Amino acid sequence: MVRARIVGTGGYVPERVVTNHDLAERMDTSDEWIRQRSGIEERRWVTDETAADLAEQAARRALARAGLEPGDIDCIVLATLSAHAEFPGTSFFLQERLDCGEIPCFDLRAQCSGFLFGLATADSFIRAGQFRRVLLVGCEVHSTGLDISDRGRAVSVLFGDGAGAVVLEGSEKDDAGILEVRMHAEGRHARRLWIEAPGTGYPGPRLTEEHVRSGRIYPVMEGRFVFKHAVTRMPEVLLETLHAASLKLEDVDLFLFHQANLRINEYVMGQLGIPPEKAPSNIQRYGNCSAASIPLLLAEADEAGRLTPGTLVSMTAFGSGFSWASAVARL
Ligand code: COA
């Protein structure tokens, strides 16, 4: 049986560090409020870099780690909610930069769960024999789309920019690879965490001065509602996935949780009895990087020597949509 194995990981964040104190100079917030509520201390925001720049750096690092060239890739899947252009997807700009031939590429929109939805997609392609190697990227430039004013403070302090990538390759090694991915969605909550404009969800022009003035171009969130759903759905889908793979919580070496809020993850870990040393986090340094959070964690774990052959990794995310998913993989 062919399975998709993770053979390379790479992460990239912009150099510019924006601390909570920096934000407090631009809006009515404080280091204490942000730290206490979310665990975030600083995040990276782009200066003149674009989404494709971040994606390219992460992709090249993942390819180098796999000992591969861009020409060895058969397909690119890129998860994002902050695309390089309205269309086409960021993946096309990445494909141009990688100069990897006329291989198919496309963007996938599942917000903070995007990387895991992408993992399921890439895994299915590889299992079906459609492609041998897929480059999967999660990439976000949030900072240029945030409301950096008192009005936007409840959301803007949470998000950071970054990209992470993995190379997936078909393997016949019985016990290694993506073992299970489970995904869910609940569209009736789409408006609880969203950016309304520009969009085609109402008659008339997609973008007007009124959209800008009223702030409908910025993300809005019902924070407490999102929090409550995240702490329920994440353990649910994590256990569902382990069960489907006939695995137990104790079998897992590393738990990688989407980095939306340290408090959400601590709550989930408390519910499941997961010790902190098994669940590394980077939200303190990067904030919420949506589709990039989990692949950034993967790249950091790899660099720290924690992804050795046989390591069992559980990855779980929750986000806008609502969407939520979990995957379990053996290195
Ligand atoms: N700085 C200071 N005060 C702020 C603030 C900021 N950046 N943002 C909001 N506040 C204020 C509010 O105006 C409110 O004031 P009030 O009591 O006078 O009305 C108060 O702080 C509490 O706001 P509230 O939104 O109820 O805070 P909270 O305890 O729910 O924490 C979040 C807010 C966003 C940290 C929390 O709800 C959360 O993490 N939700 C989930 C977020 C998430 O996971 N999102 C991404 C999913 S992918």
Side-chain angles (χ1 to χ4, degrees):
M1 187 174 87
V2 176
R3 280 210 176 101
R5 278 186 60 209
I6 297 173
V7 294
T9 67
Y12 181 78
V13 289
E15 279 185 11
R16 180 177 156 217
V17 176
V18 177
T19 66
N20 294 343
H21 297 288
D22 293 334
L23 293 184
E25 284 174 17
R26 301 182 60 181
M27 61 182 96
D28 182 15
T29 189
S30 67
D31 177 53
E32 195 198 354
W33 193 97
I34 301 169
R35 228 180 249 253
Q36 239 176 38
R37 297 287 208 298
S38 70
I40 299 166
E41 296 165 23
E42 58 188 41
R43 71 286 291 139
R44 302 299 184 92
W45 281 3
V46 293
T47 37
D48 54 1
E49 291 156 297
T50 66
D53 291 329
L54 307 191
E56 182 186 359
Q57 293 296 332
R60 288 198 185 277
R61 288 179 182 186
L63 285 164
R65 194 90 188 157
L68 296 170
E69 300 290 331
D72 297 324
I73 296 298
D74 304 315
C75 174
I76 302 172
V77 180
L78 188 145
T80 189
L81 64 78
S82 52
H84 192 85
E86 188 67 17
F87 74 83
T90 307
S91 55
F92 292 82
F93 299 95
L94 173 62
Q95 193 231 36
E96 176 193 23
R97 281 145 185 259
L98 292 179
D99 194 19
C100 48
E102 292 164 7
I103 62 164
C105 59
F106 61 93
D107 283 24
L108 188 151
R109 298 182 60 183
Q111 303 66 252
C112 296
S113 308
F115 180 78
L116 296 184
F117 277 56
L119 197 65
T121 308
D123 179 45
S124 300
F125 278 150
I126 290 171
R127 280 180 196 245
Q130 177 119 24
F131 304 118
R132 186 162 133 69
R133 292 199 191 98
V134 178
L135 172 66
L136 170 63
V137 184
C139 173
E140 305 290 359
V141 175
H142 283 306
S143 58
T144 51
L146 297 171
D147 182 356
I148 317 285
S149 73
D150 290 354
R151 182 179 62 182
R153 66 179 182 167
V155 175
S156 302
V157 299
L158 302 174
F159 289 96
D161 303 338
V166 295
V167 178
L168 295 152
E169 187 178 89
S171 159
E172 290 184 359
K173 247 177 88 180
D174 246 8
D175 56 344
I178 310 301
L179 306 180
E180 275 295 337
V181 191
R182 294 289 159 124
M183 299 167 281
H184 296 280
E186 202 173 13
R188 72 193 168 109
H189 297 314
R191 291 163 201 81
R192 308 238 186 209
L193 172 51
W194 73 323
I195 300 179
E196 189 180 355
T200 55
Y202 40 80
R206 293 181 197 184
L207 187 60
T208 64
E209 281 178 14
E210 193 279 324
H211 292 146
V212 178
R213 252 196 322 274
S214 63
R216 285 153 79 190
I217 58 163
Y218 297 119
V220 289
M221 172 173 70
E222 289 179 35
R224 287 191 180 191
F225 192 85
V226 175
F227 195 105
K228 270 195 229 153
H229 280 251
V231 296
T232 311
R233 296 310 198 176
M234 287 172 77
E236 221 173 70
V237 71
L238 189 159
L239 293 176
E240 176 195 340
T241 308
L242 287 184
H243 182 75
S246 302
L247 291 164
K248 293 194 290 291
L249 274 170
E250 307 80 73
D251 298 326
V252 177
D253 299 301
L254 210 53
F255 292 90
L256 303 181
F257 291 107
H258 170 53
Q259 304 285 296
N261 185 323
L262 193 61
R263 307 291 162 245
I264 292 178
N265 293 351
E266 285 172 348
Y267 194 93
V268 171
M269 285 154 62
Q271 275 179 302
L272 296 175
I274 295 170
E277 59 275 14
K278 277 196 173 184
S281 55
N282 59 22
I283 190 166
Q284 298 89 339
R285 289 171 285 131
Y286 301 154
N288 181 349
C289 297
S290 295
S293 282
I294 289 182
L296 274 167
L297 279 175
L298 267 171
E300 288 185 342
D302 201 5
E303 268 169 34
R306 295 186 76 176
L307 299 187
T308 50
T311 303
L312 193 66
V313 185
S314 157
M315 298 165 265
T316 305
F318 178 89
S320 157
F322 291 157
S323 60
W324 62 102
S326 187
V328 60
R330 198 180 297 280
L331 269 299

